[in-house]
Amino acid sequence: MKRYSISTAVKTAFSVGALSLALAGCGGSDGKDGEDGKPGEIAIDINSATAVQTQIEKASFDETSKTLTFEFSLTNPNGVAVTGLETLTDPLRIAFGRMGTRSEAFTPFSLEDGTEVTARGDGDEEIWLSYRNASKNGVPMTGSNNWRPTRDCQEGVTCLAYLGQGRYQVTAPEIIDTNGLDYDYDANRINGIYLITYGVGQNKLKNVEAYYWDPLTEQSVASPKKVLEMETCTNCHVGQDHIRHGNYGNTADGCGFCHTDYTQYSGSGVDGEGNTVEFNFDGSIKGLVHAVHTGITEGDRRELAKFNTVIANASKNPAFAYKFDGAALDSEGQPKAELNFPASTANCQSCHISYTTTEETLPEGLTPHAMAWFADKDAVACQTCHGDYHYGNRTELVGEETQLVGCVACHSSHDGNTRGGAFRHFAAHEQDSREAASQAGTLIDASYSQINWDEASNTLSFTMHLTKGEEIVTADYTTGMRLYVNAVDATKPDAFLAGRTSGSVIANIDGSYGVTVNAANPGYGLPSLADAIKAGANIAITPSFNTCFANKSSTLTALDSEGNCSGALSTNAAKTAFLTLSGEQAPERASAVDYENCASCHNNDMVARKGDTHYRNADVHTCAQCHEAGDYNSLIVRVHGTFGKAHGREDVQSLVSSANCSACHSDMNFGLENARSTPMRWNKGDASFSSPQAGVCASCHVSSSYEIGGGKEAAKSHIESMGGVVAGSYEEAMLNSESCLTCHSAEKVAELHKQD
């Protein structure tokens, strides 16, 4: 039987109760019976809480007293009330605003040529307006000045009050300060609060919540302007702390409360002659995200889309050139620092919706504003990437007003030559509009026939067919053809079995391609393709090539007599095909990682390092053709971070830590149960291999990038004492007797790496 200790106070209560009962039992009375007391509050103090969450229950604004009032509950994740918030210093920060139009936040300005702009052609576009605008460095609108109950509360007013049962009330008199802009409270517009619980209690807890309501009914409503889902950000920026202002928490709604569409920032830089250049730039969330992510290209991709002459041109786009260029070049034309961004500059779909031009087909929760980029309604949206290019500062005289129309003057729909910005960046969008020919290679498919294996000569041959829909893609359109063939076990296809083997390719008269592979020679210290095929393995084929398209279209264009493309070359590495020798579909090579997790950050260009443009349209098996069965670190070693590669780099760690297994792996696939059955190449350029389980662990823990507590050598020793091979010969790694899985189950790995 479970026993409980009884405190002195409780014992006293029992004694008093017993005495009363005794008096009653003797016929006595202690007076008139009172009402039953209310149940005691079940709660924990804020200093004992390990996590908190808020839920705003109602909000209102009194126009007479200019006072915002709202009530919210504060609980832990289990719903238990949290008390003591009102006793803390500076526990809350509050942003307050409403929906409005761009014209409400417009202030006249002058262009560089002296033209006085008195209005904007997109003035009726709906935007979010802050009720508390801030000024900094002489720039009038630099975000939202959050209201704080302790700092901004007027004398004699209780601005944060505890109501009991974990509920609080905030009273904010004179909260509206638009900093000179000519708009005020509007009860006919959706209003909203962004409530930031800022480092509260002994555990410095953080929480954020966006709440919107209709002042006419005082009923809560959904987000009135949600143009993308936060998951599109956190696919790469894994976790709130990996986005700027992680201390505030991050939501798709929250950023817009401060980084409004009219926010401006100031900056400075040094030009090529050593002169200091002062400039202002777009501080809206849209402007900042576009400007930051324009810096994602590697050095060789800076020649695409007029990158050097427009985006990286300091005179046309100073904000990017001086502040946001993660690939700023040195005097020799090389990037000054490692690049943070593994996605394509022009792949807007990394964040935005794809090809959805009607409200009915929008993802749940997004508002019609998400479609604005299909028919550009924002005069300066394009300029946040393209700078002052192609009449970006165009004005029109309308009556007595000089309106900035910018790109809206022409790009006003998703049809024909007036197409908006969305379709211009993609290929094959089936619209009457120009498109990005450089991406059209993703439209080409590869298939294979007439597979023949000659065991006597150790020769594999087959026919490859490239098609774009029903159109045959002949050698007239392709260049830079490369083709790799490998083998996988027919019953346990979890790894490539041989050294990658190149095939020679010739053009056939019918437009197909003839491929011949000498499978006899072993490569990179691995068994030969011939040995694997003779043992009953299936084959895996991966082609890589460039295709010529007419500029700004997905129309195939023939190469000239010297093999040059007059339009745009699009690189392509078709997805790896797994086939039996009889030409039937074979089981795919098993992988512990879901390639969609990779592509959500690296997108369809798979930018990995300078000079390699053959990643487009790839899959994880394509990557493994070299990074598992070739003269490179195995994919696990390469990605996890050994020798300073990939996710072990410091700049990548600011986005996603390799300790966060779930960023790439789905479910519990990161467990050693999913380790491959063959050795993995440990280091580039030599014959060192690790045993399967050891390689998974060592790729981080025996890594120069992860000198965790100085335990690199200790980790290596521990692995080897458990029978693992960290860096040995192929034969040693193959014949290992490792027992890592005995202790390090998937559940234990998840626990040690603090996976949710």
Side-chain angles (χ1 to χ4, degrees):
M1 182 174 63
K2 184 178 291 187
R3 298 181 181 274
Y4 297 91
S5 60
I6 302 176
S7 68
T8 303
V10 175
K11 291 178 181 178
T12 303
F14 280 164
S15 299
V16 172
L19 177 60
S20 298
L21 181 61
L23 290 172
C26 294
S29 174
D30 62 349
K32 183 179 179 180
D33 293 340
E35 296 180 0
D36 292 338
K38 294 182 180 180
E41 186 173 58
I42 300 176
I44 59 173
D45 184 76
I46 186 65
N47 290 313
S48 300
T50 56
V52 292
Q53 58 191 21
T54 60
Q55 182 173 347
I56 297 176
E57 298 170 353
K58 60 180 179 179
S60 63
F61 185 81
D62 188 299
E63 293 188 73
T64 302
S65 64
K66 302 292 185 182
T67 299
L68 169 70
T69 304
F70 65 93
E71 295 180 8
F72 68 94
S73 62
L74 182 69
T75 65
N76 70 3
N78 295 323
V80 177
V82 176
T83 62
L85 187 68
E86 79 283 4
T87 66
L88 303 179
T89 300
D90 199 19
L92 301 176
R93 301 185 180 190
I94 300 159
F96 181 34
R98 68 167 172 86
M99 288 297 291
T101 61
R102 189 176 290 283
S103 60
E104 290 184 90
F106 176 80
T107 54
F109 63 94
S110 296
L111 299 177
E112 287 188 4
D113 62 4
T115 301
E116 181 74 9
V117 178
T118 57
R120 283 177 52 146
D122 57 0
D124 60 348
E125 183 190 14
E126 284 195 315
I127 64 172
W128 186 257
L129 303 174
S130 174
Y131 281 133
R132 292 182 61 80
N133 297 313
S135 298
K136 186 178 181 181
N137 297 333
V139 181
M141 304 303 161
T142 57
S144 181
N145 182 14
N146 291 328
W147 190 90
R148 307 182 194 181
T150 51
R151 182 193 66 180
D152 300 310
C153 190
Q154 298 175 354
E155 187 176 352
V157 178
T158 300
C159 291
L160 177 59
Y162 184 60
L163 304 178
Q165 302 301 318
R167 294 176 61 250
Y168 296 82
Q169 182 182 72
V170 171
T171 303
E174 301 293 339
I175 189 173
I176 294 179
D177 179 8
T178 57
N179 197 21
L181 289 183
D182 191 21
Y183 63 85
D184 203 341
Y185 176 77
D186 189 343
N188 296 303
R189 291 281 192 170
I190 298 302
N191 281 242
I193 299 167
Y194 193 58
L195 178 61
I196 305 168
T197 309
Y198 188 78
V200 297
Q202 291 183 355
N203 293 316
K204 305 299 180 185
L205 307 177
K206 298 176 290 187
N207 181 76
V208 295
E209 179 192 4
Y211 177 84
Y212 303 96
W213 78 97
D214 182 347
L216 298 180
T217 63
E218 294 194 356
Q219 297 298 308
S220 64
V221 297
S223 174
K225 188 176 182 181
K226 191 171 184 179
V227 299
L228 55 80
E229 296 165 311
M230 192 61 189
E231 289 76 12
T232 63
C233 303
T234 55
N235 281 336
C236 282
H237 298 270
V238 179
Q240 292 182 346
D241 289 340
H242 286 129
I243 306 179
R244 179 74 171 173
H245 300 316
N247 55 339
Y248 286 93
N250 292 280
T251 66
D253 292 297
C255 300
F257 269 88
C258 291
H259 296 287
T260 61
D261 272 33
Y262 53 89
T263 297
Q264 289 288 314
Y265 288 148
S266 62
S268 63
V270 179
D271 64 18
E273 298 177 356
N275 301 313
T276 299
V277 178
E278 304 288 343
F279 58 91
N280 293 340
F281 60 98
D282 189 342
S284 69
I285 188 59
K286 168 198 67 214
L288 292 175
V289 169
H290 285 179
V292 169
H293 292 85
T294 305
I296 55 190
T297 53
E298 294 280 3
D300 56 334
R301 301 190 70 243
R302 298 172 72 85
E303 300 301 327
L304 296 177
K306 304 180 180 67
F307 189 90
N308 281 335
T309 58
V310 179
I311 296 176
N313 186 323
S315 64
K316 296 181 181 297
N317 197 348
F320 174 76
Y322 293 128
K323 187 173 181 63
F324 296 112
D325 188 2
L329 302 182
D330 60 23
S331 58
E332 298 179 353
Q334 300 298 319
K336 291 181 178 179
E338 296 279 10
L339 300 181
N340 296 337
F341 312 109
S344 164
T345 302
N347 194 336
C348 312
Q349 294 177 103
S350 294
C351 299
H352 291 279
I353 56 174
S354 303
Y355 310 135
T356 302
T357 57
T358 60
E359 185 174 348
E360 292 73 22
T361 54
L362 279 172
E364 184 178 358
L366 297 190
T367 66
H369 304 90
M371 299 184 295
W373 70 320
F374 289 95
D376 292 336
K377 297 181 179 180
D378 186 333
V380 300
C382 302
Q383 291 165 263
T384 55
C385 280
H386 291 281
D388 179 16
Y389 168 70
H390 195 61
Y391 307 109
N393 281 333
R394 181 181 297 197
T395 60
E396 290 181 357
L397 186 63
V398 180
E400 296 182 355
E401 290 185 335
T402 300
Q403 292 188 351
L404 174 72
V405 293
C407 307
V408 174
C410 297
H411 303 279
S412 55
S413 76
H414 59 76
D415 297 315
N417 288 328
T418 61
R419 78 272 179 224
F423 292 122
R424 176 62 185 87
H425 293 81
F426 312 129
H429 43 60
E430 299 181 354
Q431 299 286 331
D432 182 16
S433 169
R434 293 183 177 183
E435 53 192 281
S438 63
Q439 294 186 352
T442 60
L443 308 175
I444 297 175
D445 295 314
S447 61
Y448 309 91
S449 65
Q450 298 176 300
I451 299 174
N452 180 64
W453 167 242
D454 186 340
E455 187 167 333
S457 63
N458 291 321
T459 301
L460 177 71
S461 62
F462 54 87
T463 300
M464 179 174 68
H465 309 269
L466 299 181
T467 54
K468 176 179 169 286
E470 297 182 356
E471 193 172 3
I472 297 175
V473 182
T474 70
D476 292 335
Y477 307 109
T478 62
T479 182
M481 182 69 70
R482 291 180 291 179
L483 190 140
Y484 296 128
V485 182
N486 213 305
V488 293
D489 191 293
T491 58
K492 190 177 182 181
D494 66 351
F496 287 132
L497 301 177
R500 74 176 191 273
T501 306
S502 299
S504 59
V505 184
I506 61 171
N508 295 326
I509 296 176
D510 63 358
S512 63
Y513 301 80
V515 182
T516 304
V517 182
N518 180 358
N521 298 323
Y524 313 108
L526 294 161
S528 70
L529 177 61
D531 289 340
I533 292 176
K534 291 174 183 178
N538 294 322
I539 59 173
I541 308 172
T542 305
S544 174
F545 50 90
N546 300 325
T547 310
C548 184
F549 293 92
N551 193 32
K552 300 179 181 178
S553 78
S554 57
T555 301
L556 289 167
T557 296
L559 302 167
D560 64 21
S561 59
E562 296 182 356
N564 298 316
C565 177
S566 61
L569 274 179
S570 180
T571 55
N572 185 328
K575 292 178 173 60
T576 301
F578 294 88
L579 302 167
T580 66
L581 290 180
S582 60
E584 298 173 346
Q585 179 71 39
E588 286 191 356
R589 166 186 168 275
S591 175
V593 66
D594 186 341
Y595 187 74
E596 290 185 1
N597 292 336
C598 308
S600 64
C601 194
H602 287 273
N603 76 39
N604 71 321
D605 275 335
M606 186 49 77
V607 176
R609 65 184 177 90
K610 181 180 178 181
D612 279 324
T613 57
H614 57 279
Y615 292 90
R616 175 171 287 149
N617 205 32
D619 55 21
V620 71
H621 313 300
T622 303
C623 303
Q625 277 280 26
C626 292
H627 292 291
E628 178 173 285
D631 191 25
Y632 296 95
N633 313 75
S634 290
L635 199 57
I636 292 173
V637 177
R638 191 84 170 188
V639 171
H640 284 181
T642 303
F643 314 115
K645 302 299 191 296
H647 293 170
R649 287 182 359 200
E650 184 177 353
D651 59 322
V652 179
Q653 289 286 307
S654 64
L655 294 175
V656 51
S657 168
S658 286
N660 189 342
C661 310
S662 58
C664 301
H665 296 275
S666 301
D667 301 322
M668 301 290 272
N669 287 343
F670 49 77
L672 295 178
E673 297 90 331
N674 294 295
R676 14 181 298 191
S677 56
T678 62
M680 64 178 70
R681 181 173 289 279
W682 177 249
N683 198 0
K684 176 181 177 180
D686 60 30
S688 63
F689 293 84
S690 66
S691 51
Q693 295 178 23
V696 174
C697 302
S699 60
C700 283
H701 292 283
V702 186
S703 165
S704 300
S705 301
Y706 289 85
E707 188 65 75
I708 303 172
K712 175 180 170 182
E713 292 303 320
K716 181 174 183 294
S717 176
H718 172 69
I719 291 172
E720 292 175 342
S721 69
M722 293 295 109
V725 175
V726 173
S729 68
Y730 181 87
E731 291 74 17
E732 289 172 336
M734 190 71 182
L735 298 174
N736 75 87
S737 57
E738 59 188 352
S739 57
C740 309
L741 183 55
T742 304
C743 296
H744 298 285
S745 64
E747 291 77 11
K748 195 64 178 179
V749 172
E751 177 186 341
L752 294 174
H753 288 81
K754 297 180 172 58
Q755 303 300 299
D756 293 331

